[in-house]
Amino acid sequence: MTPAGPDLRDAAAQAAALLHREGAALDRRDWAAWLDLYEEDAVFWVPAWRDDGTTTDDPDREISWIYHPSKAGLVERVRRITSQKSVTAMPLPRTAHFVSNVVADAAEAGGLQVAATWCVMTVHPRTAEQHTLFGRYEVRMTRRPGAPLRIAAKKVVLVNDRVSTLIDVYCL
């Protein structure tokens, strides 16, 4: 085993813990804790599918399900959700996030490139409709000196994008 092996396993465990904390914060609707997991310049992107096997690759020129080029977009989204100015968030569905198969690779400047699979189950309290969304995460994580690991960029590949429900940050 190379010297980087145990370090990378520890990094993968830390990355998995961060993704699990993120899902738990969303499930509890702890918006402040969720936003604290993101860097200020973090990108949050859910690309659309160009065809059966390829997602779009340029959020500035092609369609996306969701695209926020910085944390400010996530903060605004949370503001709309909590102020009940978003029709899609009234009442907010209950969610259960599951993250697995977390794999971390070393990235530049001590950061991590992380891949994972995910599944989110939702139930709408008003209608009792249940939905399951699933896909893959591609996440770049960073750690500033003396600070915890945080999300610098998150690409959410929604595998089952033909769903009969809303798609928002809290159900991905």
Side-chain angles (χ1 to χ4, degrees):
M1 182 174 295
T2 66
D7 291 340
L8 202 50
R9 277 198 307 272
D10 184 50
Q14 291 178 35
L18 175 57
L19 293 173
H20 291 143
R21 279 194 308 277
E22 181 185 28
L26 289 168
D27 291 343
R28 290 189 318 268
R29 301 177 189 170
D30 187 345
W31 306 114
W34 179 63
L35 290 169
D36 281 346
L37 300 174
Y38 284 82
E39 294 284 359
E40 291 303 316
D41 59 350
V43 174
F44 186 96
W45 180 36
V46 185
W49 286 91
R50 181 179 297 127
D51 56 40
D52 287 339
T54 310
T55 60
T56 57
D57 58 13
D58 186 347
D60 292 320
R61 297 177 191 262
E62 297 177 287
I63 194 165
S64 299
W65 283 104
I66 299 172
Y67 177 60
H68 295 294
S70 72
K71 181 178 174 178
L74 297 176
V75 170
E76 174 60 20
R77 186 70 199 122
V78 166
R79 187 190 67 73
R80 290 186 61 77
I81 291 166
T82 58
S83 69
Q84 296 187 338
K85 290 184 179 179
S86 172
V87 175
T88 62
M90 295 186 316
L92 199 63
R94 293 188 296 260
T95 62
H97 284 71
F98 301 88
V99 177
S100 65
N101 300 337
V102 178
V103 177
D105 288 316
E108 71 284 342
L112 292 173
Q113 191 64 38
V114 178
T117 55
W118 61 271
C119 175
V120 178
M121 296 179 187
T122 65
V123 63
H124 298 268
R126 187 173 29 111
T127 63
E129 290 180 6
Q130 298 180 36
H131 300 279
T132 301
L133 301 170
F134 55 88
R136 296 183 299 275
Y137 291 146
E138 297 173 16
V139 186
R140 186 170 40 87
M141 297 181 179
T142 58
R143 185 190 318 267
R144 298 179 196 272
L149 195 62
R150 293 175 62 157
I151 298 169
K154 184 173 184 181
K155 177 180 176 184
V156 180
V157 177
L158 180 59
V159 173
N160 66 326
D161 64 328
R162 294 183 179 151
V163 294
S164 60
T165 188
L166 63 95
I167 296 175
D168 207 332
V169 295
Y170 49 79
C171 59
L172 298 171

